[in-house]
Amino acid sequence: MTIKLTGVWKTFGEGHTAVDALRNIDLVSPQGEFTVILGPSGSGKTTLLNLVGAIDESTKGSIEVDGVELENLDVDGQVKYRRESVGFIFQFFNLIPTLTAAENVELVADLTMSDGADRTVEVLEQVGLGDRMHHFPSQLSGGEQQRVAIARALVKRPSILLCDEPTGELDFETGRMILGLLKRVSTEQGQTVLLVTHNAAIGDIADRVLRLRSGEIVADGRNETPLDAGALTW
Amino acid sequence: MVSPLQHKLWRDIARHRAQFIAITITMFLGVTIFGATYDSFRNLEASYSSTATEYHFANLTVHGGDVNGVVQEAATIPAVDSVEVRTVADIPFQVGDVKLLGRIVGVPASGQPTVNELKVVRGSYLDPADPNGVLVEQHMADHFNLAIGDTVDVLSGGSWTQVTVRGVVSSPEYIWPARSRQEIITSPDNFGVIFPSADLAATLAPQPNNEAVFYYTGGNPDAQVSDQLTAKAYQLGATDIYTRAEQPSNAGLSEDLKGFEEMAVFFPMMFLLAAGMAAYVMISRLVHSQRPHIGVFVANGFTRGQVLRHYLGYGLVPGLIGSIPGAVAGILLARGITRLYTSMLAVPVTLVQFYPTTLLGAIAFGLVASLLAALAPALVASRVQPAAAMRGETPSGGGRLSILERLIPPLRRMPVSWRMAVRGVGRNPRRTTYTIIGVVLSLMLVLVSWGMIDTINHLMNRQFVEIQREDATVYFTQSVSTAEVTALQDVPGVAQAEPALTLGASLAAGNQHYETSLFVLENNTQMHRFPTVNGDWIGLPDQGLVVGKAVEGLLDVKVGDELTVTATGGITFQESIAAFVDEPFGTMAYIARDRADALTGTQLPATSALVSYAPGADSAQLRQTLTNRPEIAAFEDAKALYSTMQQYMVLFYAFVGVMLVFGAAMAFALIFNAMSVNIAERTREVATLLAVGTDRRHISRYITTENLLVVTMGIPIGLVVGYFASKAAMSSFSSDLFDFSLYMKPTTFLWAALAMVVVAFVSQWPGLRAIRRLNIPKIVKERSA
């Protein structure tokens, strides 16, 4: 799926307290592109991700995904879009503590498919958790929990993967492993990926690197030869 | 100056105002009910007590036998302050078209009696110059709209004597117009009291000067004096002896007061417990979510005592705001209740007092309940380790299979959202437990109230439909033969008529006595059925006495034991007990006519007839027809008492209605708080589910399922606990006057359970609405929910 943002603004608050989180963003991300968005805190990275994921709405401008303008979707349309097209991966994993790894994934799988259980096993094996799928989150390490979160995002075969600081809570080795996993599965499945991070080094694995500052894109570069995640260091 | 911590306290409360308001309202209701019921109880007790002292309410009443002999005995006892010998008789009255079996009580014409004085409410006291002037008891006067100068006919020696109303009075003996301990509840169409002069009473009654009333110094009960006089009275052939506590009206009022006293403890306790639990759930959640803040406080030098006091404040605030107005409202309400009550009952003295102890006690109850609720979470807060707390909130409950899934493995294949709901129940066991307790308490409140309605309805039906088969009792102007009774069957509409004789009687076993009414009925009576204590129905046996089951314990006797029966008219005989019967109202004695004749060696007369109507007969027309017959002196409609009691039930329905509203409010407050906290605790999960494309309806269903599972767990426990609480409550009202064995309709359980489910549905609605307002981007980004 191609993501296209045209003149997008996002303002929080009103009057004197108004803050522009995003200012006049223009961006096109074609299908299968792996984009890393870098920037300091408050630069608007997460806001951008939330707008593309339709869990927030822009103040001005247009966001199109495969020609569909997200602003025109009603609440049910937004739910359908998120359910069918978007996979979210959060910094703090956000797993349901009372469900096992498999159940966390199956919960989402059941939303879109009848063979949810089979697909769950498949995707958990894909992220390397075939032998840990019946463990509860509290019985998993941070890296394992994030892999469950990735499996949960991938299980419904979304066209877009939105990753908000997916390695922010992980140690270096685990973070590198997670990035490798994300890069591998998104390449295999042809997903468009937007990954937000503070860590500039992660930009080396991306097809494209955007830099945001105070809500504006201040740099937009491409990697002709992206690194393999295993070669990353920071 | 307000400290920053105080600012935080008030702002936190403002932020969670809905939950705190729910706690405060529950606290307010509990304290209000306590203040209202306890002060009403104290006011009524004081009013009755003042009435007894001011109007010299008799400490002992002796009826029948040689009362003058007892008076002579009393003259030797210094503690006996005053004695009155008077004429008391139950004789027919005619007021307009209504003939009833009323009561005359002779009093001195020249001035108030020294014992059982009367309060003249309207008109004037007796005058020796007006020998036919009488005083009418207020309940009777009000029922028949009797004004000064109106006339009433009183049957005397087979002919009617007209008396004139000089005044309307209230009497300490008839605050509750009971005919006897066996007839505590009477219909005003069947019973009324007139106070003629002693001379007039002596001419109207068959036996003059047949009762003595004794008042002790200061009105203080003196068991020794009562025992001495009672022993003497029995020796001298008394048929009915009772102390002030046993006096029918007073005994009825005491039962009523007992109810108030129990209500004053039971219902407020329930509310305060519920409020306490709701506060506990709420404050625990606050402490849990504020662990990082507490860590910062402690790290910055706040003492553990300061933290403890701060979180106790979350209990103290709703405690104070609920208790103080609640106590004031309760006391004001008590004044209204007392006045309404005493005016309805025509209590001669109404005392409405301010009891500081009630005010302070009510506030203290509310504060203690709220502080106890806050104590546990406040202690947890004070013990927080700052370093660990500042690292962030610990997850709320680790994952594990639910008990249900472990017990029934196939359940592990339920849809995931169901599994999530089932496991959510055990996620916070303490909160689940408190919610269940809340449901149990609410059901208890509802069932105890509803149980009273069911029981009384059932008992009334049992007494007036299943046991008493007659539609009316008619009293003759003089004793009649069986043939004269049978002649009533010729009246169109009368299906059957049976002769009957009712006598005041004392049953004795050894030194133990019990005063009751003895019914002499036909051998094969069709008018009365006898339910035994085993649940069987029997006919009247040819031989032996059938007595109410309370006699078994009161006289320490069993079936086959012999009782000595001393009845009015000098009748004495001994007879063994054939059976104990389980009758709801009163503790009576029954004997077959032939057997009674054989035992007394005489043919006992019939003074009344039990009459049943043919199907479809017009009861009002029949009442008129029978009343108009010259040989009939009084008519007692068996169903009139039933109707009267059903009218009283309207008050019960109102009471139960209020209790149902209170119960629902309590359930709402508790479940609402538990649900709100439940939802608040998992906002991050909900936001995540929304972000991944789950719609709100789906999430609402899952949360509703979880909440209803918890409520459903509480319902069966609540029904069982409620049943036993109702049973205990009803049995506490049981005595020889009434047998309140609990009866509950199966549908009552069903309705109560359904009501709880509806309350649960409604109480989670605000929480579910809050889901719509969730800021998904913010929540999914936060470290803690």
Side-chain angles (χ1 to χ4, degrees), chain B residues 222-242:
Chain B
D222 189 327
Q224 213 173 346
V225 174
S226 293
D227 289 347
Q228 186 181 340
L229 292 176
T230 300
K232 186 71 181 175
Y234 280 127
Q235 272 177 24
L236 298 173
T239 53
D240 201 2
I241 303 168
Y242 45 82

Side-chain angles (χ1 to χ4, degrees), chain B residues 213-273:
Chain B
V213 282
F214 304 87
Y215 182 75
Y216 304 159
T217 308
N220 299 319
D222 189 327
Q224 213 173 346
V225 174
S226 293
D227 289 347
Q228 186 181 340
L229 292 176
T230 300
K232 186 71 181 175
Y234 280 127
Q235 272 177 24
L236 298 173
T239 53
D240 201 2
I241 303 168
Y242 45 82
T243 60
R244 185 190 282 179
E246 294 160 343
Q247 197 271 343
S249 165
N250 202 37
L253 292 174
S254 296
E255 289 294 320
D256 203 41
L257 267 186
K258 202 165 82 180
F260 259 105
E261 195 178 13
E262 281 170 7
M263 258 170 57
V265 176
F266 177 73
F267 290 109
M269 286 298 282
M270 302 265 284
F271 277 86
L272 294 180
L273 202 56

Side-chain angles (χ1 to χ4, degrees), chain B residues 12-37:
Chain B
D12 280 342
I13 288 173
R15 199 168 150 217
H16 301 283
R17 57 189 169 278
Q19 288 93 328
F20 275 100
I21 287 171
I23 295 165
T24 307
I25 289 175
T26 317
M27 202 69 81
F28 173 83
L29 287 175
V31 173
T32 301
I33 296 174
F34 171 76
T37 47

Side-chain angles (χ1 to χ4, degrees), chain B residues 680-694:
Chain B
E681 225 168 56
R682 53 196 68 177
T683 47
R684 189 144 86 135
E685 288 166 38
V686 170
T688 304
L689 288 171
L690 288 169
V692 299
T694 311

Side-chain angles (χ1 to χ4, degrees), chain B residues 91-95 103-104 134 152-163 194 196 200 204-205:
Chain B
I91 56 176
F93 297 164
Q94 181 161 11
V95 188
R103 173 170 296 170
I104 56 162
V134 297
V152 174
D153 291 316
V154 179
L155 189 75
S156 167
S159 62
W160 293 96
T161 301
Q162 196 170 69
V163 294
I194 285 176
L200 179 58
L204 293 172

Side-chain angles (χ1 to χ4, degrees), chain B residues 125-158:
Chain B
Y125 192 74
L126 297 177
D127 184 346
D130 178 12
N132 271 3
V134 297
L135 304 170
V136 178
E137 200 278 325
Q138 192 174 350
H139 293 92
M140 178 178 169
D142 290 347
H143 179 70
F144 291 109
N145 288 320
L146 288 172
I148 309 305
D150 286 353
T151 58
V152 174
D153 291 316
V154 179
L155 189 75
S156 167

Side-chain angles (χ1 to χ4, degrees), chain B residues 105-113 118 120 122-136 163-169 194-201:
Chain B
V105 178
V107 289
S110 52
Q112 287 275 2
L118 303 171
V120 179
R122 294 193 292 276
S124 55
Y125 192 74
L126 297 177
D127 184 346
D130 178 12
N132 271 3
V134 297
L135 304 170
V136 178
V163 294
T164 308
V165 178
R166 279 190 61 82
V168 174
V169 294
I194 285 176
F195 298 89
S197 68
D199 291 343
L200 179 58

